[in-house]
Amino acid sequence: MKDIQLKFKGVEHVLDAKVDFASEQVEVNGLDYSIEQVPFDVPVSGTMYGLLLNYKDEYAALEGEMNDKPYVAPPKAPVLYIKPENTFIADGEMIPLPDEEEELRVGAALGIVIGRDATRVSKEDAYDYIAGYTVVNDISLPHTNVHRPAVKEKARDGFCPVGPWIMSKEAVANPNDLTITVKVNDEVKQTVQTKNLIRNVETIIEDLTDFMTLYAGDVVLVGVDHGAPIVKENDGVTIEIEGVGTLYNRVMKESALKEVKR
């Protein structure tokens, strides 16, 4: 069994637990629960930072535009954005599709969960500051403009499913060599390898903490690769990260979701 941290709906605190992928059960306080029956809540509460242009294929697809105005040169530092807390939803919850939109873009990402405050951390020491890893779906409205922050497209309510838990760093032998699989309605639509990152996990920590402090509980997404799938109303989205976990959510029109919650 592997050590995880999880949060139950209606329970204030994050709990230490264990998961057995073979039996599809989690153990909490000596009691076993089927993964399908657990009412998971969002297991993270810190600031979530996304990273653009960090997969080789994504970088190559956009490289031609990097020399256009206003930048006229490829970026040298990490290109960051924030997924604010209003975007967070848990495993099993519905992803809201705005009524005026027809589709969303899935963003399968490995989330690095920071374990203690980190400032000017070297690559060699990076893992000392990591608590574990989680699965994140960095949802966005499809857009092509890379010359300004896509706040309206990426920071809408419910646009960041997270979970179902935080897998301990000790349980993940090499986060720089994981397979990420995206299924839509049980059909594989994308397969991503973290070995294709431009900045690997330890380099991300070093580069970010060179100019900013990451606090315990913050989450850094390693990036979303080129070719992220498009989903529509009623589509079910499954993101599985090898050795970390599986996150499932379904897309529902925003107005219909509001009616369900009434």
Side-chain angles (χ1 to χ4, degrees):
M1 300 187 80
K2 296 184 176 183
D3 291 330
I4 60 173
Q5 290 186 312
L6 56 76
K7 193 171 184 293
F8 289 152
K9 287 189 183 299
V11 178
E12 182 178 356
H13 301 292
V14 173
L15 304 171
D16 292 326
K18 293 181 181 294
V19 63
D20 185 336
F21 288 129
S23 66
E24 297 186 345
Q25 289 188 318
V26 294
E27 179 188 299
V28 185
N29 295 328
L31 299 175
D32 291 333
Y33 301 87
S34 168
I35 290 175
E36 289 187 353
Q37 296 175 336
V38 174
F40 291 109
D41 204 347
V42 176
V44 300
S45 58
T47 302
M48 183 175 290
Y49 299 94
L51 206 60
L52 293 174
L53 305 175
N54 198 37
Y55 274 97
K56 295 172 184 177
D57 285 350
E58 180 201 21
Y59 189 97
L62 295 172
E63 190 170 13
E65 300 178 43
M66 296 178 194
N67 293 312
D68 295 341
K69 293 180 179 180
Y71 301 118
V72 293
K76 296 180 180 179
V79 181
L80 295 175
Y81 58 95
I82 290 177
K83 298 291 284 194
E85 191 173 356
N86 68 290
T87 65
F88 296 175
I89 60 172
D91 174 72
E93 293 190 315
M94 299 295 181
I95 300 168
L97 173 64
D99 290 347
E100 68 275 15
E101 301 290 339
E102 294 298 323
E103 55 191 27
L104 301 172
R105 188 175 298 280
V106 172
L110 175 69
I112 308 166
V113 184
I114 303 302
R116 60 191 178 104
D117 296 358
T119 304
R120 294 187 175 86
V121 175
S122 69
K123 287 186 290 187
E124 292 73 20
D125 295 332
Y127 288 102
D128 293 339
Y129 292 83
I130 295 174
Y133 307 93
T134 193
V135 185
V136 179
N137 188 350
D138 181 6
I139 291 289
S140 62
L141 296 177
H143 60 281
T144 57
N145 193 328
V146 296
H147 298 308
R148 62 174 182 265
V151 177
K152 182 179 178 181
E153 291 82 5
K154 299 182 78 67
R156 302 178 76 111
D157 292 352
F159 268 30
C160 193
V162 187
W165 49 62
I166 300 169
M167 179 62 68
S168 67
K169 67 179 177 184
E170 291 81 7
V172 180
N174 183 5
N176 298 312
D177 191 14
L178 299 177
T179 299
I180 303 174
T181 305
V182 183
K183 296 179 182 179
V184 178
N185 302 326
D186 295 324
E187 181 181 351
V188 175
K189 292 294 187 179
Q190 185 184 34
T191 302
V192 177
Q193 307 287 342
T194 60
K195 64 184 178 182
N196 293 323
L197 291 171
I198 295 173
R199 287 180 170 89
N200 62 19
V201 167
E202 52 268 36
T203 303
I204 291 171
I205 300 297
E206 180 179 68
D207 286 355
L208 295 192
T209 62
D210 183 58
F211 64 87
M212 62 184 283
T213 297
L214 294 173
Y215 294 100
D218 286 350
V219 182
V220 181
L221 309 184
V222 302
V224 174
D225 203 359
H226 181 65
I230 293 292
V231 292
K232 301 178 183 294
E233 183 181 8
N234 293 323
D235 282 344
V237 184
T238 304
I239 299 176
E240 180 181 356
I241 302 184
E242 174 188 8
V244 177
T246 300
L247 178 68
Y248 175 82
N249 302 87
R250 189 162 65 84
V251 179
M252 179 181 280
K253 278 289 188 179
E254 203 166 44
S255 57
L257 182 55
K258 288 178 180 177
E259 286 297 318
V260 170
K261 290 182 175 180
R262 288 180 61 179

